Amino acid sequence: QVQLVESGGGLVQAGGSLRLSCAASGSIFRLNTMGWYRQAPGKQRELVASITTGSITIRNYADFVKGRFTISRDNAKNTVYLQMNSLEPEDTAVYYCNLMGLHVYWGQGTQVTVSS
C-alpha cells in the first residue's frame, strides 16, 4: 500500500506563486511516474504535470501550464514538487497528487485558490 500526503495549497493573488509537495510512503515500485492533476468545480480532473523515474527523467506538462509551472522530484525522499508561478484565477482547483507504478494511487487533494 502507498500513501500520498500533499501540502502547500492555499489562497494567493493572481500573479503569485505556490509550491505544492507530495510525499509518498509505503511499498513504492522503483520505476514509477508521479504527477499532479487538478479538478475545478463542475469540470473533469485533468493532468497538470508528471515526471518519471528511471535512467532518463521525462517531464510532461499540460499546455495551459507550460512556462509557468515546474515539476520536480527528490527520489531519495519519494517526494514530488510542483512550483506554480504566474498563477491565474483559472488555476483555482483542488490539486491531486498521483503515483503510477504497479498500481495507481491518489492523494487526498489540496485546494489552490487564486483571487483576481
Side-chain angles (χ1 to χ4, degrees), residues 29-35 49-60 71-75 79-80 98 100:
F29 188 59
R30 66 180 183 87
L31 296 178
N32 59 69
T33 298
M34 292 188 74
S50 64
I51 185 168
T52 64
T53 59
S55 58
I56 299 174
T57 299
I58 299 173
R59 293 175 175 85
N60 182 38
I71 191 168
S72 60
R73 67 185 294 169
D74 184 334
N75 290 327
T79 299
V80 64
N98 168 275
M100 292 188 290

Coordinates of all heavy atoms in Angstrom, one line a residue, residues 29-35 49-60 71-75 79-80 98 100:
F29 N 7.1 1.0 -6.0 CA 7.8 0.4 -7.0 C 8.8 1.4 -7.6 O 8.5 2.6 -7.8 CB 6.9 -0.1 -8.2 CG 7.6 -0.9 -9.2 CD1 8.2 -2.1 -8.9 CD2 7.5 -0.4 -10.6 CE1 8.8 -2.8 -9.9 CE2 8.1 -1.2 -11.6 CZ 8.8 -2.4 -11.3
R30 N 10.1 1.0 -7.7 CA 11.1 2.0 -8.0 C 10.9 2.7 -9.4 O 11.4 3.8 -9.5 CB 12.5 1.3 -8.0 CG 12.7 0.3 -9.1 CD 14.1 -0.3 -8.9 NE 14.4 -1.3 -10.0 CZ 14.9 -0.9 -11.2 NH1 15.1 0.3 -11.4 NH2 15.1 -1.8 -12.1
L31 N 10.3 2.0 -10.3 CA 10.0 2.7 -11.6 C 8.6 3.2 -11.6 O 7.7 2.3 -11.6 CB 10.3 1.8 -12.8 CG 11.7 1.3 -12.9 CD1 11.8 0.3 -14.1 CD2 12.6 2.5 -13.2
N32 N 8.4 4.5 -11.5 CA 7.0 5.0 -11.5 C 7.0 6.4 -12.1 O 8.0 7.0 -12.4 CB 6.5 5.0 -10.0 CG 7.4 5.8 -9.1 OD1 7.4 7.0 -9.2 ND2 8.1 5.2 -8.2
T33 N 5.8 6.8 -12.2 CA 5.5 8.2 -12.6 C 4.7 8.9 -11.5 O 3.7 8.3 -11.1 CB 4.7 8.2 -13.9 OG1 5.5 7.6 -15.0 CG2 4.4 9.7 -14.4
M34 N 5.2 10.0 -11.1 CA 4.4 10.8 -10.2 C 3.9 12.1 -10.9 O 4.6 12.6 -11.8 CB 5.2 11.2 -8.9 CG 5.6 10.0 -8.1 SD 6.3 10.4 -6.5 CE 4.9 11.1 -5.6
G35 N 2.8 12.6 -10.5 CA 2.3 13.7 -11.2 C 1.2 14.5 -10.4 O 0.9 14.1 -9.2
A49 N 0.9 18.0 -14.7 CA 2.3 17.7 -15.0 C 2.6 16.4 -14.4 O 2.0 16.0 -13.4 CB 3.2 18.8 -14.4
S50 N 3.6 15.7 -15.0 CA 4.1 14.4 -14.5 C 5.5 14.3 -14.7 O 6.1 15.0 -15.5 CB 3.3 13.3 -15.2 OG 3.6 13.2 -16.6
I51 N 6.2 13.4 -13.9 CA 7.6 13.2 -14.0 C 7.9 11.7 -13.7 O 7.3 11.1 -12.8 CB 8.3 14.1 -13.0 CG1 9.8 14.0 -13.2 CG2 7.9 13.9 -11.6 CD1 10.6 15.1 -12.5
T52 N 8.8 11.2 -14.5 CA 9.1 9.7 -14.3 C 10.4 9.5 -13.5 O 11.3 10.4 -13.4 CB 9.3 9.1 -15.7 OG1 10.5 9.7 -16.3 CG2 8.1 9.3 -16.6
T53 N 10.6 8.3 -13.1 CA 11.9 7.9 -12.5 C 12.6 7.1 -13.6 O 12.1 7.0 -14.7 CB 11.7 7.0 -11.3 OG1 10.9 5.8 -11.7 CG2 11.0 7.7 -10.2
G54 N 13.7 6.5 -13.3 CA 14.5 5.7 -14.3 C 15.7 6.5 -14.7 O 16.1 7.5 -14.2
S55 N 16.4 5.9 -15.6 CA 17.7 6.4 -16.1 C 17.5 7.8 -16.8 O 18.4 8.6 -16.8 CB 18.5 5.5 -17.0 OG 17.6 5.2 -18.1
I56 N 16.4 8.0 -17.4 CA 16.1 9.2 -18.0 C 14.8 9.8 -17.4 O 13.8 9.1 -17.3 CB 15.9 9.0 -19.6 CG1 17.1 8.5 -20.2 CG2 15.5 10.3 -20.2 CD1 17.0 8.1 -21.7
T57 N 14.9 11.0 -17.0 CA 13.7 11.7 -16.4 C 12.9 12.4 -17.5 O 13.4 13.2 -18.2 CB 14.2 12.7 -15.3 OG1 14.9 12.1 -14.3 CG2 12.9 13.4 -14.8
I58 N 11.6 12.0 -17.5 CA 10.8 12.6 -18.6 C 9.7 13.5 -17.8 O 9.0 13.0 -16.9 CB 10.1 11.5 -19.4 CG1 11.1 10.7 -20.1 CG2 9.1 12.2 -20.4 CD1 10.6 9.5 -20.9
R59 N 9.6 14.7 -18.2 CA 8.6 15.6 -17.7 C 7.5 15.9 -18.8 O 7.8 16.0 -19.9 CB 9.2 16.9 -17.3 CG 10.1 16.8 -16.1 CD 10.8 18.1 -15.8 NE 11.6 18.1 -14.5 CZ 12.8 17.7 -14.5 NH1 13.4 17.3 -15.6 NH2 13.5 17.7 -13.4
N60 N 6.3 15.9 -18.3 CA 5.2 16.2 -19.2 C 4.3 17.2 -18.6 O 4.0 17.2 -17.4 CB 4.4 14.9 -19.4 CG 3.2 15.1 -20.4 OD1 3.3 15.8 -21.4 ND2 2.1 14.5 -20.1
I71 N 7.7 20.9 -12.5 CA 7.6 19.7 -11.7 C 9.0 19.2 -11.4 O 9.8 19.2 -12.4 CB 6.6 18.7 -12.3 CG1 6.4 17.5 -11.3 CG2 7.2 18.1 -13.6 CD1 5.2 16.6 -11.7
S72 N 9.2 18.7 -10.2 CA 10.5 18.1 -9.9 C 10.3 17.0 -8.8 O 9.2 17.0 -8.3 CB 11.5 19.2 -9.4 OG 11.0 19.8 -8.2
R73 N 11.3 16.2 -8.6 CA 11.1 15.2 -7.6 C 12.5 14.9 -6.9 O 13.5 15.1 -7.5 CB 10.5 13.9 -8.2 CG 11.4 13.2 -9.2 CD 10.6 12.0 -9.8 NE 10.3 11.0 -8.8 CZ 9.5 10.0 -9.0 NH1 8.8 9.9 -10.2 NH2 9.2 9.1 -8.1
D74 N 12.4 14.5 -5.7 CA 13.5 14.0 -4.9 C 13.3 12.5 -4.7 O 12.5 12.1 -3.9 CB 13.6 14.8 -3.6 CG 14.8 14.4 -2.8 OD1 15.3 13.3 -2.9 OD2 15.2 15.3 -2.0
N75 N 14.0 11.7 -5.5 CA 13.8 10.3 -5.4 C 14.2 9.7 -4.1 O 13.6 8.7 -3.6 CB 14.6 9.6 -6.5 CG 14.0 9.8 -7.9 OD1 12.8 10.0 -8.0 ND2 14.8 9.9 -8.9
T79 N 9.5 12.2 -3.0 CA 8.6 13.4 -2.9 C 8.6 14.1 -4.3 O 9.7 14.2 -4.9 CB 9.2 14.4 -1.9 OG1 9.1 13.7 -0.6 CG2 8.3 15.7 -1.8
V80 N 7.5 14.6 -4.7 CA 7.4 15.4 -5.9 C 6.9 16.8 -5.6 O 6.1 16.9 -4.6 CB 6.4 14.7 -6.9 CG1 5.0 14.6 -6.4 CG2 6.5 15.3 -8.3
N98 N -0.6 12.1 -7.7 CA -0.8 10.8 -8.3 C 0.5 10.1 -8.5 O 1.5 10.6 -8.8 CB -1.5 11.0 -9.7 CG -1.5 9.8 -10.5 OD1 -0.6 9.4 -11.2 ND2 -2.6 9.1 -10.5
M100 N 1.8 6.4 -10.3 CA 1.5 5.2 -11.1 C 2.8 4.4 -11.1 O 3.8 4.7 -11.6 CB 1.1 5.7 -12.5 CG -0.2 6.4 -12.6 SD -0.7 6.7 -14.3 CE 0.5 7.9 -14.8

